[in-house]
Amino acid sequence: MIRAIVCALVVESVAGFTASVTKLPQQARTVAASTKMEVDEMVIGVQPPAGFYDPLGFVAKDGPEAFIRRRAVERKHGRVCMMAITGLIVHNAGIEFPGYLSVSEDLKFSDIPDGITGIFAVPPAGLAQILAFFGIVELAWWPASNYSGDYGCGFFGAKYEGAEKVQKLNAEMANGRLAMLGIIGNMFAECQTGQTLKEQLAAGNMIPF
């Protein structure tokens, strides 16, 4: 039964990588005229089966500009979670940076535990450096005020325009949404079982296929 549910969810998630032609509300269809976004954010992420999903009516209540900000936040969270999922897989595969995380504390990168508990093993000075780096990125390098999420980097240097760019942005949004679900699910599982992803797989507690 569980395998059938997982398979159904996977099939549904595949649809998220296909651009949708769902008809949008009138206010949503006219948002491009009221903003200076290069891409209409009311189109990005509008994918089957949900389509333009706004059950609480935030767009009608707060206007399209507020929606664009929330979409930018969703995109940012998706990107962070995609990095988190990648880090989760890499660390659980036993791939670590060589050398020391802190020479003064004789702490190597390989000494940091896998999983959510690893953050508590990082010295306070290391956490402060991480937070400072986040602040520089948010305020100066890739400012959060840039709601488009386009910082001129391209996709590994590649640039896209028109329908191809919309398709890539839709794929990014779908991947980000799946990553948000994946990382929070892993965190809950670790807290509930006390086992990392690798330990759960080794113990047979989680069978992905």
Side-chain angles (χ1 to χ4, degrees):
M1 180 63 180
I2 295 178
R3 291 187 181 184
I5 294 173
V6 171
C7 290
L9 291 173
V10 170
V11 170
E12 285 295 329
S13 67
V14 171
F17 295 91
T18 306
S20 173
V21 293
T22 305
K23 187 176 181 181
L24 304 180
Q26 179 62 37
Q27 187 177 17
R29 294 198 302 271
T30 59
V31 69
S34 63
T35 65
K36 296 182 180 179
M37 306 295 289
E38 183 180 347
V39 177
D40 187 353
E41 289 293 343
M42 290 292 185
V43 175
I44 305 302
V46 181
Q47 300 164 340
F52 188 83
Y53 191 69
D54 185 24
L56 299 181
F58 282 125
V59 173
K61 182 179 69 173
D62 300 332
E65 291 79 9
F67 171 84
I68 289 174
R69 180 191 174 280
R70 293 187 182 113
R71 173 50 51 79
V73 172
E74 179 187 17
R75 180 187 295 112
K76 182 196 301 182
H77 289 171
R79 289 174 174 176
V80 170
C81 288
M82 284 189 281
M83 294 177 64
I85 283 288
T86 302
L88 171 71
I89 295 172
V90 168
H91 278 281
N92 278 272
I95 302 173
E96 310 283 354
F97 284 115
Y100 286 85
L101 173 64
S102 174
V103 177
S104 61
E105 299 190 22
D106 194 29
L107 182 67
K108 296 181 179 180
F109 284 102
S110 57
D111 295 331
I112 302 298
D114 295 333
I116 193 172
T117 58
I119 191 68
F120 302 107
V122 179
L127 295 176
Q129 292 176 42
I130 293 173
L131 293 175
F133 177 73
F134 286 166
I136 293 173
V137 171
E138 286 281 295
L139 297 175
W141 190 8
W142 293 341
S145 58
N146 181 358
Y147 291 165
S148 72
D150 186 352
Y151 302 107
C153 303
F155 181 74
F156 293 101
K159 303 287 186 178
Y160 300 100
E161 299 295 337
E164 187 178 18
K165 182 174 183 178
V166 171
Q167 190 273 332
K168 296 294 184 182
L169 291 173
N170 271 325
E172 178 191 34
M173 189 64 67
N175 288 338
R177 289 167 176 170
L178 291 174
M180 286 188 277
L181 290 172
I183 196 65
I184 193 66
N186 180 79
M187 292 168 66
F188 277 126
E190 282 192 23
C191 292
Q192 183 180 23
T193 65
Q195 294 179 315
T196 64
L197 174 63
K198 180 173 62 177
E199 292 169 341
Q200 292 180 56
L201 290 172
N205 296 335
M206 184 177 68
I207 304 175
F209 302 106

